Amino acid sequence: MTQEQPDAGTAFTPHDHCLCQSHALQVAEERLAARKARLTPVRRRTLEILLESHRAMGAYEVLERLAEDGFGSQPPVAYRALEFLVQHGLAHRLQRLNAFAACLHPESEHAPAFLICRACDKLAEVPAGCLRNEMNKLSREAGFVVEGVTVEAVGLCASCAEAGSA
């Protein structure tokens, strides 16, 4: 039985970040066990690194952290671990940032939208079902089949907006 799921948008509000981390790690272990896949030490550490904060990280930033922890310094080390996490719904790839972020709702298959603060780089994962439904409707009307969509909105979180970040 998994812990209570963190709320969407928690990156921008005070919350128990340990809950986000422990929830995602617990669900990751359960999901992979059900799929007979392994959360190897390098994959687990990669997920832990992504879960340390609500922001996206580039593969080379993850690689530096893995190297510090003794997992090697060759790019395939990070890329393979990140690709595995994305493939199993435990992380997301953000196209605009060319980066990766831990999935905070790995208990279900979903395709979220991302809110990215341009000042502090925090990232929130929010439900995007209605956006995707509308995109599918519009594409069908245009005679087009959507195979993938990543919704990434850039702006300012409340804290940065209050602080007057330009």
Side-chain angles (χ1 to χ4, degrees):
M1 182 80 175
T2 61
Q3 299 172 3
E4 182 180 328
Q5 176 179 334
D7 292 330
T10 55
F12 304 127
T13 58
H15 67 286
D16 180 355
H17 186 64
C18 289
L19 176 63
C20 295
Q21 293 172 304
S22 63
H23 171 76
L25 283 170
Q26 180 181 354
V27 172
E29 290 170 357
E30 292 169 1
R31 176 178 262 205
L32 293 175
R35 295 179 176 187
K36 308 245 186 288
R38 289 187 51 226
L39 192 59
T40 63
V42 71
R43 292 170 181 168
R44 181 180 184 82
R45 183 63 189 130
T46 300
L47 182 57
E48 290 170 347
I49 290 167
L50 291 176
L51 286 166
E52 288 175 356
S53 65
H54 290 286
R55 67 179 190 86
M57 298 178 75
Y60 279 92
E61 187 177 359
V62 171
L63 179 61
E64 286 176 21
R65 299 285 306 282
L66 288 171
E68 289 170 8
D69 293 340
F71 288 104
S73 60
Q74 297 301 313
V77 171
Y79 280 108
R80 285 183 190 133
L82 289 164
E83 185 57 37
F84 175 87
L85 295 175
V86 169
Q87 176 186 356
H88 288 279
L90 304 173
H92 299 289
R93 181 177 176 119
L94 290 103
Q95 303 300 321
R96 180 187 180 279
L97 301 175
N98 192 25
F100 299 84
C103 178
L104 296 180
H105 306 286
E107 62 284 331
S108 62
E109 296 294 329
H110 64 289
F114 300 95
L115 307 177
I116 305 165
C117 180
R118 65 175 169 76
C120 69
D121 292 328
K122 283 188 180 173
L123 173 90
E125 177 181 330
V126 296
C130 59
L131 289 171
R132 292 182 191 288
N133 290 342
E134 188 63 22
M135 174 66 78
N136 286 332
K137 177 185 166 216
L138 293 171
S139 67
R140 277 191 306 273
E141 291 171 2
F144 184 80
V145 177
V146 174
E147 294 179 343
V149 176
T150 302
V151 179
E152 300 174 19
V154 178
L156 291 173
C157 68
S159 296
C160 291
E162 281 179 26
S165 298

